[in-house]
Amino acid sequence: MPTPAETAINSPIGRQTPRIDGPLKVSGKAQYASDFPFPGLLYAVPVEATIANGKIQKLDTSEAEKMPGVRAIFHHGNIGKIFRSVLGKGMEGICIERRPAFEDDVVSYYGQYIALAVADTFETAKAAADAVRASYTKGKPNVEPDLEPDPDPNVVQTTYGPERRLQSERGDPEKALASAPVKLDQTYVTPSETHNPIELQGTTAMWDGQKLTIYEESQAIFNMRSVLAQMFGLPEENVRVITKFVGSGFGSKLWPWTHCALACAAARQLGKPVKLVLSRRMMFQTTGHRARTQQRVRLGATPDGKLVALMHDYVYERSMLDDYHENCGEATAFQYSVPNLRVKFGRAKRNVGSPSDMRGPGAVPGLYATESAMNELADQLKIDPVQLRVLNEPQIDEHKKIPFSSRHYLECLKAGAEKFGWSTRSPEIGSMKRDGLILGWGMAGAAWVAARFAAQATVELRDDGTTRVACGTQDIGTGTYTILAQLAADKTGVSVNKVEVALGDTSLPEGPVSGGSMATASVVPAVFDAAESAIASLLTIATTTPGSPFEKRKRDELDFEIGRVFLKANTSSEGVPFADLLRRADLRSVTGSGKSADTFEEKNPKFSTHSFGCHFVEVIWEPQIARLHVNRVVTAIDAGRIINPLAGRNQIEGAVVMGIGMALLEHTIYDPQNGAPINSNLADYIVAVNADVPTLEVHFLDYPDTVLNPLGARGIGEIGLAGIAAAITAATYHATGVRVRELPIRIEDLLKSPVLS
Ligand code: MOS
């Protein structure tokens, strides 16, 4: 029997494990949602409204309908019934834009679908969509960037249920601020940003009688199933959603958008499979974006740097049709110790497509504001920004009044500062130089919630020594196939390359949403439970099969380690491989089912569960040509046990790259004339590319947080984007003397620098 150390050496957990789906992707064999061919497949192209506020007066489809190869032009009058959907229990029935497409003649945002052309080829469908003529009665679109909050009740409905606008309050923040010896009162603005995954969104839908199957690049196939079942009046078991690979989502593919239901409805009306793939422009109009926010942060402190008051009042933009909540206060109430605090939000309706979750929703814009305020306070107090954070480290989560399950924020700061060389920083603006260029150094902290969704899984042990793990979750490019293989390999003792992974299909056991950085933490207990159940069945087989080496033994006399069954009493035995035992019993396989609950329903949680981190940034400022670029980033992350450091590093690096885009480049701009997002393409909407990305250093602390699951893994998809923009703006201030409080930093801002020559 192996010693525990030998078992550990055999485990793939915590090892750099290359993607098991890598070969399929680089060879082009991985089939994404719109890659599946079907006989008789028709192509659909939506017609986009060219106003952002008004009504359709007349829709002329006659020319389009006459085109050869056109099957139908759908609109309000002929699409058939699409019901509304409602929010259910848990992660069911979530839909941002509740109004079914084509419900009425009202247009609330630019690009809203007003008709759908379906034809034998994509080209014909596109030509037909272009030939549809619409006339409107137009109102002035409200895309006003200044966000004055709408009058709202104290409790508002949101996509995820009711929310109190006063999110958190303790002590007497007004009074404490008024009497604080040191005060800061600043407003920070973050722009609309668009997710821009490389894979375009699209739906291929087909009906078989009353059964609907869709191929869709979804981050949440079971929610997609529950919404579509409601929209088409079907029992859930009649709807199947298949998502084998996703070319990233960043949140835009979490919830169903209007094109999904349109493809399904068109396929129903025509009795043929219909494929509808959006254009890049449509991805800016109808599939969500990060809401614009305006956040006033007020801090009160003692001269030696102890926070006495914190007020975070934020307003975000939402559309006319949704109740999406951009929770900028996500981290505010627990990140630092402060006796007097208030977090409150307001909302402002605009004629824009519905905002939605975008990587690190809420916390990312929120921490940009609060971490920027901390940096400004540090400068005001002439205290090192790292030290200011150390001085305000909380002992417990002061919002929930419970301890953190595992918080190593100070250790992140220490590790990050050391690896960066922070102690050699000279705080004066423009004072650090290298090769005639000015260096700017800045830092900021990060936090992101950690939790579990409910999950189910099966693990199968097979007579050829392989294993299969099945869980109806998704791999959105983050490495979930590989994580599931690692988990099954760990428990069954087979090597990762002998594990078959099945995911992305609602015919599999119900898996978690790929969102909130929670998929990995959620699948661990379910897969472990399933593996243990398969092993328990195997041991029963071992003790009951005639001729088995363990025949007539009791189950608890046996042990299962590294894929073999051992008699506990015989410590020197080599054990018997599970495949041998199955073959002897003439069984192809034995399967175990497992499940785990979510952590949201817990009535009185004992611990507050979050991940933490920080970024240290160096920018280079070339005053002669007013050029600024990020030269170096060191990130330290406390996200529990890291199951796959290769995939983990990749997540943090990707998030930091996105953070460079957030700080310096990304901004969806709405035309005040017609309400159109005018930079709705990848030439005009600028994202960080290789040339913008410096050497990135990622350091994981790797403290297992076993409150969440037996491995102690939290999540790493989003934490890397939290705080980075505040670190970059702080570094920019240090180099240039320009304090930017509205993202992204623009060249016009930098031209105000006193450090220009
Ligand atoms: Mo993330 S915004 O939960 O995909």
Short mmCIF file of all heavy atoms in Angstrom, two decimals, residues 81 587 623:
data_model
loop_
_atom_site.label_atom_id
_atom_site.label_comp_id
_atom_site.label_asym_id
_atom_site.label_seq_id
_atom_site.Cartn_x
_atom_site.Cartn_y
_atom_site.Cartn_z
N LYS A 81 -45.42 32.97 -30.85
CA LYS A 81 -45.39 33.38 -29.43
C LYS A 81 -44.03 33.10 -28.80
O LYS A 81 -43.49 32.01 -28.91
CB LYS A 81 -46.48 32.59 -28.68
CG LYS A 81 -46.65 33.01 -27.23
CD LYS A 81 -47.24 34.41 -27.11
CE LYS A 81 -47.15 34.92 -25.68
NZ LYS A 81 -47.47 36.36 -25.61
N LEU A 587 -17.61 -6.71 -15.77
CA LEU A 587 -18.28 -5.40 -15.82
C LEU A 587 -17.47 -4.46 -16.69
O LEU A 587 -16.25 -4.38 -16.54
CB LEU A 587 -18.37 -4.80 -14.42
CG LEU A 587 -19.40 -5.42 -13.47
CD1 LEU A 587 -19.15 -4.92 -12.06
CD2 LEU A 587 -20.81 -5.07 -13.92
N PRO A 623 8.36 61.96 -21.57
CA PRO A 623 7.76 63.29 -21.60
C PRO A 623 7.93 63.99 -22.95
O PRO A 623 7.07 64.77 -23.35
CB PRO A 623 8.49 64.05 -20.49
CG PRO A 623 9.65 63.23 -20.09
CD PRO A 623 9.41 61.83 -20.55
#
